[in-house]
Amino acid sequence: MPEIADIKSGGSGAESGIERYSFSQLCRKMGRSPHFIRSLQAKFGLIILKDNEGYSHSYRVFLETIIILRAFSVPLEDIVDLFEAEKRILRFLRVDTLTMSPTWYLDQCGRNDESVNRLLLTNQDLGGSITEGGVQFHLDFRGAHGELFSGAEMGQDARRVMAAYETRLEKVRSRVKTEEVVLRRALAWSARWEE
């Protein structure tokens, strides 16, 4: 059985036509049980695809990022809070209107472009969307959002959401740095069983 299923997803976004993982293949690639992966999907409110659809590489990379953060003992609740903050930022920037993909919030995961402006979990590159002088909103291609406030008021809200995100991100970074020393020691200790 091949590692990747050639399953075409009908209502896909950016990755339409690309090979996808079945759920069992996704679990195998992640080295985790189906129960564990389902619990992550539920905790993060991720879409659970039907049997004839497949999970994208981006979906897998997103889950791997969560597993890596858990290895650094970052509490799952902190990761969920960070994820929700990232989605709020992306909605302010109307990223959700750029595609019909049900996984629009994680379709950039796995991209290797280097940028200091990328969000940690969704890997979206903000690249100047939020600046000191204001907020550059993407056009609302679906017409889903009505303008209730002026651009200046919306800019203030976006900067406030971004500041809250930065606080959450710093908490996660701090935890990773603290645990990095412990993990390095643990890996050195486990080397005694290598042959």
Side-chain angles (χ1 to χ4, degrees):
M1 174 183 272
E3 281 297 310
I4 299 176
D6 186 16
I7 303 172
K8 306 297 183 196
S9 175
S12 61
E15 294 184 298
S16 180
I18 294 178
E19 293 180 322
R20 297 183 176 258
Y21 301 96
S22 70
F23 182 70
S24 61
Q25 290 168 335
L26 180 68
C27 294
R28 254 194 323 278
K29 281 296 225 181
M30 310 278 298
R32 296 293 187 262
S33 72
H35 175 73
F36 180 85
I37 298 299
R38 285 286 189 233
S39 69
L40 286 182
Q41 288 173 316
K43 189 76 171 173
F44 285 84
L46 301 176
I47 189 167
I48 297 176
L49 299 173
K50 297 175 183 139
D51 292 338
N52 64 338
E53 297 175 318
Y55 292 95
S56 68
H57 175 71
S58 297
Y59 199 104
R60 176 183 158 206
V61 170
F62 176 78
L63 290 174
E64 285 174 343
T65 303
I66 295 168
I67 291 168
I68 290 167
L69 289 172
R70 291 294 298 132
F72 282 98
S73 299
V74 177
L76 198 55
E77 292 73 27
D78 290 352
I79 303 170
V80 169
D81 287 346
L82 192 67
F83 180 53
E84 291 302 319
E86 288 189 19
K87 286 197 299 186
R88 273 193 299 279
I89 291 166
L90 296 177
R91 283 189 183 106
F92 265 115
L93 298 175
R94 309 277 167 71
V95 173
D96 59 330
T97 68
L98 298 176
T99 178
M100 294 301 289
S101 172
T103 56
W104 62 269
Y105 46 84
L106 55 81
D107 287 344
Q108 294 299 308
C109 293
R111 291 182 58 104
N112 293 326
D113 304 350
E114 292 294 322
S115 173
V116 295
N117 297 316
R118 288 198 179 276
L119 298 174
L120 178 66
L121 298 173
T122 60
N123 201 37
Q124 290 279 347
D125 188 356
L126 298 185
S129 294
I130 299 178
T131 63
E132 279 293 313
V135 174
Q136 161 121 26
F137 291 98
H138 291 288
L139 295 175
D140 185 355
F141 290 101
R142 282 189 265 159
H145 301 284
E147 298 293 339
L148 298 177
F149 304 102
S150 70
E153 290 168 325
M154 291 176 71
Q156 291 296 336
D157 288 343
R159 282 192 291 279
R160 191 170 26 254
V161 169
M162 193 65 191
Y165 169 76
E166 289 289 341
T167 300
R168 288 183 176 94
L169 181 61
E170 190 50 44
K171 184 178 178 183
V172 169
R173 276 190 191 134
S174 176
R175 184 61 175 252
V176 167
K177 285 296 178 195
T178 300
E179 293 296 320
E180 183 179 12
V181 176
V182 176
L183 284 176
R184 286 185 190 279
R185 285 189 202 137
L187 288 171
W189 181 83
S190 71
R192 67 176 70 183
W193 288 301
E194 291 179 6
E195 295 183 40

